[in-house]
Amino acid sequence: MRPLTLELSAFGSYMLPTTIDFSDLDQGIFLITGDTGAGKTTIFDAITFALYGESSGENREGKMMRSAGCEEGAPTYVSFTFSYRGKVYHIKRNPDYPRLSSRRDKDGNVKYTTEAASVTLTMPDGQVFPGKIREVNEKIVSIIGLDASQFRQIAMIAQGDFLKLLHASSKERQEIFGEIFETGIYRQVQEILKEKAGALANQLKEEQDRIARELDRVECEPQSPLAPKLLRLKGQSMPLKEEVLNLLKDLLEKGKEEQLAQQKRVVIQDEKALKLAGEIGAGEATNKLLKEYEQALLEQENLKKKAPGMALLETQLERTKMAKALVVLENEKLRAEKHAQETAEELEKVQQGLKELRFKEIEKEAKAHESAILYETREPELSALLSELEKKFEKLIQLKKARAEHQTKKQGLETALKKERLADMEFQQVNAAYEGGYRLFIEAQAGFLAQRLAPGKPCPVCGSSQHPKPATPVAAAPDEQELEVLKQKRDQAEEMRSQCAKALAAARNSEEEGRVLLKELEEGVSESQEQLEEKKKQLMLQRKNLKRAQEESASELTKLRLELEKLGGACTSLEAQQKQARSEGGERAQSFAQEFSRSSFTSEEEYVKQKSSIPQYEKDKKVYEEYQRQAQEVSVRLKTIRAQVEGKSYQDLSRRQEEFASLQSELKELREHLTLCQNSVRNNERILEQLVKIYTRIGKRQEEFSTMETLNKIASGSVSGSRKLDFETYVQRLYFREVLNAANKRLLKMTGEEFMLQTRDLGELALKGRTGLELDVYDLPSSAVRDVKTLSGGESFMTSLAMALGMADVVTRRAGGITLDTLFVDEGFGTLDDETRDQAIKVLQTQVGQGKIIGIISHVGELKQQIDTKLEITKDEKGSRATWQKM
């Protein structure tokens, strides 16, 4: 990457727009010089900001780079053009910064707003790369091959930073190299190994706790010979697998033996109880049958005592049943007689109503006839009046239409008049232009002829050979073609004026015709639309009322006639019903008389008296039927039980019941003990199963933990008896050696092969503390090794410069062999004597020989004499300025 132009505006100390042109620098060293604080380093800040949106210092963000003293309206931006591998790219970037808003607040005061950050990347083909800030930043990284951190390490050598690296402790170098070479991933590996080892240790501890919990749940009788062994294992933090599992197996064997013995005892006692229960059941059954037999005999005796009363009840029930049948016939006779009476009364009412409706029919017929005559007389008159009103409405509509058309014609007349006036004005202007042009053209022809006049020769116009006042040429006269154009415009305008005049005459005629028609229509209309509508409304209402009166009269007459017809039908129906009711009543009376004569009742009084027993009939019937059922049931039961109890007597069961209760109590205790044995065996079986799984997991995790703990100790450098060299430091040591190899190539040239740098051997590292990146100086003449802190100021500068260049080489190789043709060296030359400074310049010139340009940022005066090309940075109240000076 080689810079071509850099433009800064309101950026850092550069308040005014400043452009720095690097395009004339082919290769070589140039000096960026100026007083302290003038803005030398800001140039590299601007390049870094343009590329990545960051400054060269990590503690300075892009938005902090706006000039403090610039004008409020000045834009802050950096515009940077650079070439990379023969292609030219252009970037323009601005940070977000406050600026004056074009709007004011409600009080009229000036408001501030924030200008949003933006970036524009123009590609070599001239196209702007599409995308937001993040996409553009990623594109720039892909072009150059470096991110912002790598660019700062490679393109900018800040001597103060590398002096710190030179004199840093091993721990401090680890932190610095961690950022430069991004070795945090190796530290993450260490942390992951540590976390995994810790997690496996925790898992092993959890499994140990599970073993303890399972052992606490083991069931063992205190008097068991295995109890002491169980107590001992519970007291151990990690009891042996074989001891624990063998103990559980022994406990299960003892428990199952006890369970089997207890089951046998339960079976023996259960058989005894079952036999005794059978004997008790048989005795209880015999006693129950004897008791039932005695109860049946007692019930039979009670039923015999009720037999006479039941015989009387049976006779009474037969007579009541006969009375019930007669009551049904009697009720049917009474209902028929009542129905005949009611029908006669209803018929009389309907006949009376029919007479009244016939009188009303006569009245309604007269009223309907009167309404019909009135409607036939008035309706034609009302229709004629409505027809006359419709004609007036049509005239009113014609009048409205004529007014609208006349208004449109008036507007058309006004429009035609305006167009005619505009066309006339246009013609006057164009005609004046043509006549003026024609006049100038004629005058120009005279001047043209005058130019060809010669003394003594006749004029082609007047023939005179004397020319005292020849015409002068006209400068602004049109030629013949231009005059023809003016004539065409004049003719077109005249044609347009003629057309507009004709249109105006036609519009006037049309407006006059409309006005005459409108006057005629207005004379024929004397009433307003509202008046006409009100008249129409009244007439329509009158016709409607007449029609409604006629229809209502006819409707009322129709309804009355329908009602008469209905009542006539009802009268006929009632007459038929009355005849049928009288016939049915006679039949019902005859049926009742015949049935009564066939009954056992000798008189009507006897029948009436028996009817009083009907409400009690159902109840007495149930009593009699229940008596019959009980007698039958007792007879059958006695017959059945008598055969079963023959030869049997009551038995005393008290002794056997006491013996059975004692057996049940013993069985309950035996079964409870058996349940305890079974639960204990099942519990210990589950515990054994869990412990087998736990010990299996422990075996696997113990192996994993052993491997992971070994890796953790190796990666963290905590192996007993070895140097504390962790994984990250080991990798950094490889990078460190690579940097020192590249640095020593330059350092040997700068020092005349007096000394070089080397990392301290592992055998010489301390056993305590963070080690591995210690740095020593190896003196070649004496083969002695000394500490880097013994270097003088000049030696320290050369060493740090060599380390910086070596670091740049290593980072460049890590970045994929990118091409960076520009290097900035910031300060440090003030500590060198003349000879050392010359050596340093020579080393930098070897870099130039590789096609690079190197900018040295320094205020050392001697460098101005050694370096021909200088970028002079000056600063005053208007900010910093940059000017090139070449010798």
Side-chain angles (χ1 to χ4, degrees):
M1 190 278 291
R2 182 187 292 271
L4 297 177
T5 60
L6 176 67
E7 182 182 354
L8 305 87
S9 174
F11 187 85
S13 58
Y14 293 83
M15 300 182 192
L16 301 176
T18 303
T19 301
I20 303 173
D21 189 354
F22 295 94
S23 59
D24 292 339
L25 297 176
D26 184 15
Q27 68 177 39
I29 298 175
F30 68 94
L31 180 65
I32 302 176
T33 183
D35 295 337
T36 300
K40 301 186 294 295
T41 306
T42 304
I43 294 173
F44 186 71
D45 284 340
I47 292 174
T48 307
F49 174 75
L51 292 172
Y52 302 104
E54 305 175 13
S55 66
S56 62
E58 294 183 357
N59 59 343
R60 289 183 292 179
E61 299 180 5
K63 63 183 180 181
M64 299 168 59
M65 297 303 295
R66 179 169 171 80
S67 300
C70 67
E71 295 182 1
E72 290 184 336
T76 295
Y77 66 87
V78 175
S79 180
F80 181 48
T81 303
F82 67 93
S83 64
Y84 186 76
R85 292 182 177 175
K87 296 181 179 180
V88 177
Y89 301 85
H90 176 74
I91 306 171
K92 185 174 182 181
R93 187 190 296 269
N94 68 271
D96 54 354
Y97 62 90
R99 62 169 177 81
L100 285 174
S101 173
S102 59
R103 300 181 179 179
R104 296 176 179 267
D105 60 19
K106 62 181 181 179
D107 298 326
N109 300 320
V110 175
K111 291 173 61 178
Y112 283 86
T113 186
T114 299
E115 180 71 24
S118 66
V119 60
T120 303
L121 170 62
T122 304
M123 304 298 288
D125 59 0
Q127 298 293 320
V128 175
F129 179 78
K132 298 181 180 179
I133 294 178
R134 182 175 60 82
E135 286 83 359
V136 173
N137 290 345
E138 291 173 353
K139 182 63 177 178
I140 292 172
V141 171
S142 68
I143 292 171
I144 300 177
L146 299 171
D147 59 23
S149 176
Q150 293 170 328
F151 181 78
R152 286 193 290 264
Q153 296 163 16
I154 297 174
M156 180 68 162
I157 297 177
Q159 285 303 117
D161 293 341
F162 284 93
L163 279 173
K164 291 178 184 177
L165 181 62
L166 181 66
H167 296 131
S169 65
S170 178
K171 180 180 178 181
E172 291 170 338
R173 287 195 187 97
Q174 288 174 6
E175 295 174 356
I176 295 171
F177 282 4
E179 294 182 6
I180 294 176
F181 295 111
E182 298 178 351
T183 58
I185 187 173
Y186 305 104
R187 183 169 62 255
Q188 292 175 9
V189 171
Q190 294 173 209
E191 294 297 328
I192 291 171
L193 291 172
K194 181 179 179 181
E195 289 175 4
K196 288 188 174 182
L200 287 171
N202 291 335
Q203 291 174 9
L204 286 173
K205 180 64 172 60
E206 290 175 1
E207 297 294 358
Q208 292 174 4
D209 293 341
R210 290 190 182 98
I211 291 173
R213 289 195 295 271
E214 293 298 330
L215 288 177
D216 287 339
R217 292 175 52 241
V218 172
E219 295 185 11
C220 179
E221 295 293 335
Q223 64 274 16
S224 172
L226 298 174
K229 186 176 182 180
L230 176 61
L231 187 61
R232 178 175 59 80
L233 291 176
K234 286 182 178 180
Q236 296 177 6
S237 60
M238 184 59 187
L240 293 176
K241 173 183 177 181
E242 290 76 12
E243 287 191 65
V244 172
L245 298 184
N246 288 335
L247 173 63
L248 262 295
K249 290 175 183 178
D250 292 342
L251 283 172
L252 283 172
E253 186 178 353
K254 295 290 184 183
K256 289 178 180 178
E257 290 176 357
E258 175 64 21
Q259 178 181 334
L260 183 59
Q262 193 68 16
Q263 285 175 341
K264 291 180 179 179
R265 287 192 285 272
V266 169
V267 170
I268 292 171
Q269 290 297 97
D270 210 4
E271 289 175 351
K272 289 181 181 180
L274 185 61
K275 181 180 178 183
L276 189 56
E279 294 175 357
I280 293 172
E284 288 177 345
T286 299
N287 291 343
K288 184 179 179 182
L289 279 173
L290 288 170
K291 190 174 182 180
E292 288 178 357
Y293 183 69
E294 292 174 353
Q295 183 66 30
L297 288 174
L298 182 62
E299 290 177 6
Q300 188 181 45
E301 187 64 27
N302 291 332
L303 288 171
K304 286 180 179 179
K305 293 178 181 180
K306 295 179 181 180
M310 289 298 110
L312 291 174
L313 181 60
E314 183 181 7
T315 302
Q316 182 68 18
L317 286 172
E318 286 297 329
R319 288 176 64 79
T320 304
K321 184 177 180 182
M322 189 181 298
K324 281 183 69 178
L326 286 172
V327 165
V328 172
L329 293 174
E330 183 182 16
N331 289 338
E332 289 178 354
K333 182 191 76 163
L334 293 174
R335 278 197 300 271
E337 291 173 351
K338 183 180 179 181
H339 179 59
Q341 180 63 31
E342 289 175 349
T343 303
E345 293 174 356
E346 183 68 19
L347 177 60
E348 186 178 357
K349 289 180 182 179
V350 171
Q351 288 173 343
Q352 182 62 32
L354 195 59
K355 290 179 182 179
E356 294 175 357
L357 284 177
R358 283 176 179 154
F359 284 119
K360 288 183 180 180
E361 180 184 15
I362 296 170
E363 294 176 358
K364 293 293 182 182
E365 284 177 348
K367 184 178 180 182
H369 182 68
E370 183 181 350
S371 297
I373 292 173
L374 180 60
Y375 178 75
E376 290 172 0
T377 303
R378 287 286 294 153
E379 198 280 334
E381 297 175 1
L382 293 173
S383 297
L385 291 173
L386 285 170
S387 177
E388 186 66 26
L389 280 177
E390 289 298 329
K391 293 178 182 179
K392 292 182 178 181
F393 271 116
E394 289 178 3
K395 288 184 178 180
L396 190 60
I397 292 169
Q398 291 176 359
L399 176 60
K400 288 182 178 180
K401 183 178 179 182
R403 284 173 178 169
E405 291 176 352
H406 181 247
Q407 184 63 29
T408 302
K409 291 177 179 180
K410 284 178 66 177
Q411 293 174 353
L413 177 60
E414 293 174 358
T415 302
L417 184 59
K418 290 179 181 178
K419 287 184 178 180
E420 193 274 338
R421 290 174 181 173
L422 289 173
D424 184 64
M425 291 173 62
E426 178 70 18
F427 171 75
Q428 297 298 333
Q429 292 175 358
V430 173
N431 187 52
Y434 170 72
E435 290 180 353
Y438 183 78
R439 185 176 60 256
L440 290 174
F441 176 76
I442 296 301
E443 293 175 357
Q445 293 303 313
F448 176 73
L449 292 173
Q451 287 180 343
R452 296 187 178 185
L453 292 176
K457 290 185 178 182
C459 173
V461 177
C462 64
S464 173
S465 58
Q466 299 295 322
H467 315 295
K469 291 183 180 180
T472 58
V474 179
D479 56 19
E480 189 174 356
Q481 186 176 1
E482 290 172 338
L483 185 63
E484 181 62 26
V485 170
L486 289 173
K487 183 176 183 299
Q488 290 177 1
K489 288 183 178 180
R490 193 272 312 270
D491 294 343
Q492 290 172 357
E494 187 174 11
E495 177 64 24
M496 178 59 70
R497 184 179 66 170
S498 175
Q499 292 178 2
C500 289
K502 291 178 181 178
L504 177 60
R508 280 176 176 161
N509 291 334
S510 178
E511 191 274 336
E512 178 63 24
E513 292 173 356
R515 184 153 42 83
V516 171
L517 177 61
L518 181 61
K519 185 177 180 181
E520 291 175 356
L521 290 172
E522 285 176 345
E523 290 175 353
V525 176
S526 59
E527 293 173 298
S528 66
Q529 183 175 354
E530 289 77 8
Q531 291 172 334
L532 293 175
E533 287 177 350
E534 181 62 27
K535 283 185 176 180
K536 182 178 179 180
K537 181 179 178 181
Q538 293 298 326
L539 291 172
M540 292 292 289
L541 181 60
Q542 290 179 28
R543 188 166 67 174
K544 182 179 179 181
N545 289 338
L546 283 172
K547 183 66 174 176
R548 185 170 61 237
Q550 182 199 18
E551 291 174 349
E552 286 176 355
S553 297
S555 176
E556 288 175 2
L557 180 60
T558 301
K559 288 179 181 179
L560 185 62
R561 285 174 175 171
L562 288 173
E563 192 173 351
L564 276 169
E565 184 179 351
K566 183 178 179 182
L567 280 176
C571 186
T572 303
S573 176
L574 284 171
E575 288 173 350
Q577 289 178 23
Q578 184 184 33
K579 183 178 180 181
Q580 182 180 358
R582 286 173 178 173
S583 174
E584 185 177 350
E587 291 174 359
R588 299 298 181 191
Q590 185 178 2
S591 296
F592 174 74
Q594 290 174 355
E595 189 64 28
F596 184 82
S597 64
R598 286 195 292 267
S599 70
S600 60
F601 296 114
T602 58
S603 65
E604 187 174 351
E605 288 78 11
E606 187 180 349
Y607 162 66
V608 172
K609 182 179 179 182
Q610 192 64 42
K611 282 200 300 183
S612 63
S613 300
I614 291 176
Q616 190 67 20
Y617 174 77
E618 293 296 330
K619 185 176 181 182
D620 292 342
K621 182 181 178 183
K622 287 181 180 178
V623 171
Y624 179 75
E625 289 175 349
E626 178 63 21
Y627 170 78
Q628 292 292 333
R629 185 190 65 75
Q630 289 178 1
Q632 180 68 22
E633 181 185 353
V634 168
S635 176
V636 173
R637 188 153 34 106
L638 279 172
K639 184 177 179 181
T640 303
I641 298 174
R642 187 179 294 115
Q644 296 176 1
V645 300
E646 188 175 357
K648 294 182 180 180
S649 60
Y650 280 101
Q651 299 182 22
D652 186 4
L653 301 174
S654 58
R655 186 180 60 79
R656 289 190 182 94
Q657 288 174 343
E658 290 175 359
E659 186 181 351
F660 182 76
S662 176
L663 278 174
Q664 287 295 104
S665 178
E666 291 177 11
L667 269 173
K668 181 180 179 184
E669 292 179 0
L670 289 172
R671 286 194 178 101
E672 288 176 352
H673 187 62
L674 175 61
T675 301
L676 290 174
C677 289
Q678 290 171 338
N679 291 339
S680 177
V681 169
R682 282 195 293 268
N683 178 64
N684 289 342
E685 282 177 340
R686 286 193 293 268
I687 292 171
L688 176 61
E689 183 181 352
Q690 288 299 318
L691 286 171
V692 169
K693 292 179 180 178
I694 292 170
Y695 275 111
T696 302
R697 290 198 299 268
I698 287 177
K700 293 180 180 178
R701 286 173 183 166
Q702 186 66 48
E703 185 179 348
E704 293 176 5
F705 173 72
S706 178
T707 302
M708 196 60 64
E709 181 64 13
T710 302
L711 289 173
N712 176 40
K713 288 181 178 180
I714 294 172
S716 62
S718 58
V719 178
S720 178
S722 64
R723 271 68 183 171
K724 191 171 181 59
L725 184 66
D726 58 33
F727 187 31
E728 183 183 17
T729 307
Y730 176 79
V731 175
Q732 290 176 347
R733 185 178 172 87
L734 296 178
Y735 283 124
F736 196 19
R737 284 183 173 180
E738 191 176 352
V739 170
L740 294 182
N741 288 337
N744 284 333
K745 293 177 183 178
R746 297 175 175 86
L747 188 59
L748 289 173
K749 292 179 181 179
M750 285 191 285
T751 63
E753 298 187 353
E754 288 189 3
F755 66 86
M756 59 186 293
L757 299 174
Q758 66 179 26
T759 56
R760 192 167 297 172
D761 291 337
L762 291 175
E764 298 177 3
L765 298 177
L767 291 176
K768 294 183 179 181
R770 296 175 65 179
T771 61
L773 297 181
E774 287 81 1
L775 182 63
D776 291 328
V777 177
Y778 179 73
D779 283 314
L780 294 172
S782 63
S783 298
V785 177
R786 58 191 173 96
D787 196 286
V788 292
K789 294 180 181 178
T790 62
L791 294 173
S792 66
E795 289 174 335
S796 295
F797 171 78
M798 289 189 294
T799 303
S800 63
L801 178 60
M803 284 181 64
L805 294 173
M807 181 76 75
D809 290 347
V810 173
V811 174
T812 300
R813 285 197 296 272
R814 288 187 66 238
I818 54 92
T819 303
L820 199 63
D821 298 330
T822 306
L823 179 67
F824 290 89
V825 181
D826 191 3
E827 295 296 350
F829 288 88
T831 60
L832 305 181
D833 55 30
D834 293 343
E835 183 179 356
T836 304
R837 187 170 56 252
D838 290 342
Q839 290 292 336
I841 295 297
K842 288 179 181 179
V843 170
L844 291 176
Q845 286 175 340
T846 61
Q847 297 293 109
V848 171
Q850 299 173 9
K852 293 185 177 181
I853 59 172
I854 298 177
I856 298 176
I857 302 173
S858 178
H859 61 276
V860 176
E862 289 78 6
L863 289 175
K864 295 181 180 180
Q865 305 301 322
Q866 290 179 275
I867 300 174
D868 296 337
T869 303
K870 294 178 282 294
L871 184 62
E872 186 77 26
I873 308 300
T874 58
K875 185 178 182 181
D876 55 20
E877 66 277 1
K878 294 183 179 180
S880 300
R881 292 183 177 83
T883 54
W884 288 104
Q885 295 182 7
K886 297 183 180 180
M887 297 179 63

